[in-house]
Amino acid sequence: MTTTTITASERAAAQAYLRLLESTQAVLTDPQLAPYAGVMLTHPMAEADEALRAAGLVGNEARLLRLVSSLRTSPATAWGRSG
């Protein structure tokens, strides 16, 4: 298995992306919240956009998805904690 080295800005971008995905899922699966999706997701989208820009990941979806995958498969090390 290939280890992905994650910089602090890349970790922040991957975490922001995951928060956006989780927020989107929560809003769109709740019939009472779904009509307000645009308003409710404005902040998570802006946060993810800024974090992706800061990490230099805009247009590099393959790298972003590898980072997200590594966060999901190894939460202890991905979140900056060791075993």
Side-chain angles (χ1 to χ4, degrees):
M1 180 174 168
T2 303
T3 302
T4 302
T5 303
I6 303 174
T7 67
S9 61
E10 289 174 334
R11 181 181 300 118
Q15 290 170 337
Y17 175 78
L18 286 171
R19 283 191 294 277
L20 174 58
L21 287 178
E22 291 164 358
S23 298
T24 302
Q25 182 179 22
V27 168
L28 295 179
T29 58
D30 184 333
Q32 293 179 336
L33 296 178
Y36 307 103
V39 172
M40 296 183 79
L41 295 174
T42 298
H43 178 73
M45 284 188 290
E47 177 192 23
D49 283 345
E50 177 56 33
L52 290 169
R53 269 192 297 281
L57 293 171
V58 173
N60 194 347
E61 292 81 7
R63 173 76 176 156
L64 172 63
L65 294 177
R66 281 193 304 274
L67 294 168
V68 168
S69 177
S70 92
L71 285 179
R72 287 196 162 180
T73 59
S74 181
T77 53
W79 292 90
R81 296 184 298 265
S82 58

